[in-house]
Each structure stands twice: as C-alpha cells, then as structure tokens.
Amino acid sequence: MSLFNARHFVPSLLAFATAGFISSTASALVFGGNFFVPGLNRIIATNVVQNMSSANLPALPVRVTLCTGAVEAPAFVVTGPTTAVLAGSCYRMSITIASPDQTRLLITHTGAPGGISRVELGGFAQKVVFDRRNPNPGTGFSGTGRDVAVLGGAGPWTVNARWTSPIQIGTMPARGDVYNKLTFDFNMCFVSNNSLYVEFDTDEVQ
C-alpha cells in the first residue's frame, strides 16, 4: 500500500487537531472500556523496558479491518524521535510518545469512500508492547503502566480497547500487566468526519 508523503501529512494533521475537530464535547462517541483477555502468552527471553523511541514503530504490525471485511496492513513512517504517521485507504493515524508512560494515538477518517471497524496493533514478534496500569508492581522493568483513556474524538459509535497475548519472561508466569496486542473495536463504522484520540502506555521488548 502506498503511503502519503509524511512531509505533507504532518502539517495537515496538526492543523486538523489545532482546529479543535477532535474535541469530545461535540461527539456522541462512547468508550466501552478496557478488556484484558488471558490466553496464549508471548514468551520472551530477556526483559521489558519502559522507555522507547519511535525507531521501532515501523515494525509494529498494524491491521485495519474495513467495514467491507477487507483488511489493510499499513506501516508507520517515523517523522521524529517520538512521532510516526501512517495512511490507509480512508484513514490516517499519528502516534506520539509524550512521556515514558504516555503514548497518544490519533485516528482520523480522510473523507475518502469506506469506513473501518477495527484497528489492531501488535500481535507478532515486534519490540513494541503495551503496558496496563495494574497489577502494580507488574513485569520487572516495565515501570508505570497506563490503561487506554479517550482524550477526544467524534463519532456515533462505541469503541472498546482489547488487550490480548500477555508477555511472559522465560519460565516465569505472566504478570498480566504487559500485553503483546492492543485492539480497538468499533460497534459501528468509523466513517467521514470521525476521529479518535486515545492515550495508553507502550514499552519495548529487549
């Protein structure tokens, strides 16, 4: 899939956010909450660290399910030490690492034909993983976690955050705070004029 030129994409996205379009006050969107799903663990040999940069974001698997059932797999393009963007057939995403335990993701619909029903991050052997708030203390060196919180957006749907595939270090049992995959499920199509701005915590597998 061809990606929009990141040089032109970033200013337009910043202008979009500055215009206040993602304000939750004008939206009917509902956050259905965080759901932590036990299941097949991802077993790693070393450890997890809290600090991360944007360098590993291009290797973070992204799967976007369209309302037609088709699936796209765009890749993030690094735009700075803590930022990256991607573009699909009818959507754009911008990710910013705001602090060691704050990663922000903005999803916007471009107005092109089509809509999305699901966004999946991770799920394979990538370095970027997702750290929830509890249990605390959890996995060693993972630091403070953060459950998904909605910062803003617009749309008539409910969105849920689903955490799957707990991280297990060696033969030690998984602590249930760090997960290999984070999925956003929309109960109605995410379409033109829709946006979602969320915050969570990303760590790195060493």
Side-chain angles (χ1 to χ4, degrees):
M1 174 184 299
S2 63
L3 294 172
F4 294 154
N5 188 302
R7 182 180 60 188
H8 297 293
F9 173 69
V10 175
S12 63
L13 180 61
L14 292 177
F16 178 84
T18 303
F21 184 82
I22 60 172
S23 171
S24 61
T25 59
S27 169
L29 78 85
V30 174
F31 180 48
N34 290 275
F35 297 88
F36 307 101
V37 183
L40 187 64
N41 295 352
R42 176 186 171 188
I43 301 174
I44 63 173
T46 53
N47 65 319
V48 174
V49 296
Q50 186 172 34
N51 293 325
M52 65 168 289
S53 69
S54 61
N56 290 313
L57 288 172
L60 173 66
V62 179
R63 285 170 53 91
V64 179
T65 303
L66 304 180
C67 295
T68 61
V71 176
E72 298 180 349
F76 279 108
V77 174
V78 172
T79 55
T82 59
T83 58
V85 298
L86 65 74
S89 60
C90 61
Y91 55 88
R92 299 170 180 166
M93 297 187 204
S94 171
I95 196 164
T96 301
I97 303 162
S99 75
D101 69 341
Q102 290 176 294
T103 296
R104 293 170 181 159
L105 175 68
L106 173 62
I107 308 172
T108 58
H109 196 281
T110 64
I116 62 179
S117 62
R118 175 177 295 164
V119 175
E120 300 170 81
L121 305 176
F124 293 91
Q126 78 282 346
K127 281 186 171 289
V128 178
V129 292
F130 308 95
D131 186 8
R132 59 175 290 199
R133 185 176 302 278
N134 290 310
N136 185 20
T139 303
F141 303 105
S142 66
T144 304
R146 185 179 294 269
D147 294 349
V148 171
V150 173
L151 302 180
W157 27 258
T158 296
V159 61
N160 295 326
R162 182 160 44 94
W163 306 59
T164 53
S165 188
I167 296 294
Q168 174 183 337
I169 300 178
T171 59
M172 299 294 292
R175 299 300 299 270
D177 62 320
V178 183
Y179 286 76
N180 196 48
K181 186 175 182 179
L182 181 58
T183 301
F184 296 95
D185 288 306
F186 299 89
N187 72 332
M188 295 173 57
C189 279
F190 182 103
V191 293
S192 183
N193 295 322
N194 287 187
S195 63
L196 177 65
Y197 190 33
V198 294
E199 181 176 82
F200 46 89
D201 181 26
T202 50
D203 291 349
E204 284 190 2
V205 172
Q206 295 298 290

